[in-house]
Amino acid sequence: GTWNWDLRTDRFTVDEGFARGFGLDPALGRERLSLEQIITSVHPEDRPGLIAAIDEVSARGGAYAHQYRVRRADGTVGWVVSRAIPILDNGGEITEWFGSASDITARREAESRLRFINALIEEVGKSSEADAALALTTRMLGEHLGVSICAYADMEPDQDHFTIRGDWTAPGSRGIVGYYSLADFGAL
């Protein structure tokens, strides 16, 4: 989406794509919004950094680019990168910013997965025993996914029974090591 920030009136004009990306009502597209209305969509942890980036680029001039998270209308959190160029008056003062905001959620998720895989490979590479490598992998995967239980299992030849030989549990969760039947969990 695109946006224009008129510093003289401190109002934003945004298009429907910007409004949708920021969890705002798309009907707000082309309406004049305040900075506060825009900031409320930004993830609370990222607001101070965004405000600092705006202050810094406003003081120095030049192009602006910043990545941050936004809360979407459906409650999900996504990543955007905003870029802008200043518009100057005849005296060289910044009067407006014209910019765009692009959804980079998929890219950030891919980067996160690659960082995890690299860390996992590095740590597992230090293990000389298979059981230690499985335990480490299970713990790291559980922590990375933010789950309370992560386990690995061996399937039996009958394709119905399996044995969970090892698991990792978050504090307060019970382990699930044991012998199970898939049929116990519902239809195959």
Side-chain angles (χ1 to χ4, degrees):
T2 60
W3 54 273
N4 176 269
W5 182 16
D6 186 334
L7 298 178
R8 296 164 294 197
T9 61
D10 195 28
R11 302 304 275 182
F12 281 80
T13 304
V14 303
D15 67 7
E16 288 181 20
F18 181 96
R20 244 188 324 278
F22 276 69
L24 303 169
D25 182 351
L28 291 175
R30 298 292 174 210
E31 289 196 23
R32 300 185 54 80
L33 306 171
S34 68
L35 177 59
E36 188 57 37
Q37 286 173 292
I38 303 292
I39 293 288
T40 58
S41 296
V42 175
H43 192 282
E45 293 175 11
D46 294 350
R47 288 178 193 163
L50 176 60
I51 292 168
I54 291 169
D55 290 345
E56 189 267 330
V57 77
S58 294
R60 73 165 162 75
Y64 160 84
H66 190 71
Q67 296 180 22
Y68 49 93
R69 293 170 291 175
V70 294
R71 290 188 189 269
R72 308 223 191 273
D74 64 3
T76 61
V77 174
W79 281 91
V80 299
V81 60
S82 287
R83 293 182 177 88
I85 56 170
I87 298 173
L88 311 175
D89 65 12
N90 291 336
E93 294 292 319
I94 300 172
T95 58
E96 296 178 63
W97 287 94
F98 179 74
S100 67
S102 301
D103 186 336
I104 59 167
T105 305
R107 185 183 91 200
R108 292 292 298 235
E109 289 171 349
E111 290 168 350
S112 174
R113 282 190 302 274
L114 289 174
R115 278 191 301 277
F116 169 71
I117 290 168
N118 285 336
L120 180 64
I121 289 169
E122 185 175 315
E123 291 301 313
V124 169
K126 297 174 186 175
S127 299
S128 59
E129 297 179 20
D131 287 341
L134 281 171
L136 179 64
T137 300
T138 306
R139 178 186 58 81
M140 288 181 70
L141 183 58
E143 290 173 345
H144 176 73
L145 295 174
V147 297
S148 56
I149 300 171
C150 185
Y152 55 92
D154 294 318
M155 287 298 297
E156 298 295 331
D158 68 5
Q159 295 296 303
D160 177 47
H161 293 89
F162 61 97
T163 302
I164 296 178
R165 293 188 297 121
D167 64 3
W168 168 85
T169 60
S173 298
R174 284 189 13 215
I176 57 172
V177 171
Y179 181 77
Y180 298 93
S181 169
L182 286 174
D184 292 340
F185 297 93
L188 293 176

